[in-house]
Amino acid sequence: MTGPSSADLRKGESVSDAPLSPDANVQFIGIVRTPYTTRDLCPRQGALDGPECRLELMPQWAPALKGVTAFEYLDVLYWLHQSRRDLLLQSPRGDGQTAGTFALRSPVRPNPIGLSKVRLIRQEGETLIVKGLDCLDKTPLIDIKPDRCAFTVQAPAKSADRA
């Protein structure tokens, strides 16, 4: 992907002139496979009754899936690798009505991390079949977690838990 251009801005949008430099390392654990090959084909929000998608883990991360099928819903984090990273104000509808990036669920963010709650359909070896994703095919996978509302802490309680 080529760098963003001011010609790509909609009315009312603005960009940051701060240099974009990496200040953290993210370990991709796999790749997301969806039917969405362009942003125009990608839904704005995933639907839990949407098409089946695949979370394909790298073989070295397959053991980390142990126990994941105990959960009906998962939180999936992924890297929105084709998103620009410099918009401060955005016009998501293209009508000139702007909002700050942090007030939107737009993929255009300083750190383009996507988050979707998905329904786990089944596990096939090192691959999870899920519904509810809203990202492009071949999106890098960052992490998979049990749905926070369904997760019960398994470690012994500590004093900070009762504060």
Side-chain angles (χ1 to χ4, degrees):
M1 177 178 167
T2 61
S5 157
S6 59
D8 297 330
L9 298 179
R10 295 178 181 137
K11 182 181 178 188
E13 292 184 334
S14 68
V15 299
S16 168
D17 57 3
L20 298 174
S21 61
D23 50 321
N25 290 322
V26 174
Q27 174 71 44
F28 297 135
I29 61 168
I31 193 166
V32 178
R33 301 307 308 248
T34 72
Y36 314 122
T37 55
T38 68
R39 284 188 60 186
D40 289 340
L41 297 175
C42 195
R44 291 189 191 276
Q45 299 292 320
L48 294 174
D49 62 349
E52 286 190 358
C53 300
R54 302 169 63 84
L55 305 176
E56 298 179 350
L57 271 68
M58 295 175 189
Q60 67 267 31
W61 295 109
L65 291 174
K66 182 178 181 181
V68 76
T69 58
F71 300 94
E72 183 177 5
Y73 297 100
L74 303 171
D75 290 328
V76 178
L77 291 102
Y78 41 91
W79 189 257
L80 301 164
H81 62 297
Q82 292 191 20
S83 293
R84 65 184 298 161
R85 302 176 68 180
D86 61 347
L87 287 185
L88 300 171
L89 298 174
Q90 299 183 41
S91 298
R93 292 172 300 282
D95 62 3
Q97 298 295 313
T98 60
T101 291
F102 301 137
L104 299 169
R105 288 192 49 88
S106 164
V108 178
R109 342 193 47 76
N111 294 302
I113 297 170
L115 167 66
S116 287
K117 178 179 180 175
V118 300
R119 185 162 53 98
L120 177 60
I121 306 302
R122 66 186 175 279
Q123 180 177 352
E124 296 176 354
E126 57 201 39
T127 297
L128 298 178
I129 310 303
V130 300
K131 290 187 175 192
L133 285 169
D134 60 353
C135 61
L136 294 174
D137 189 42
K138 301 180 185 173
T139 294
L141 180 60
I142 296 175
D143 206 350
I144 302 166
K145 298 182 180 197
D147 176 47
R148 69 183 178 278
C149 295
F151 184 74
T152 301
V153 176
Q154 298 173 9
K158 60 182 185 177
S159 59
D161 294 336
R162 294 181 287 277

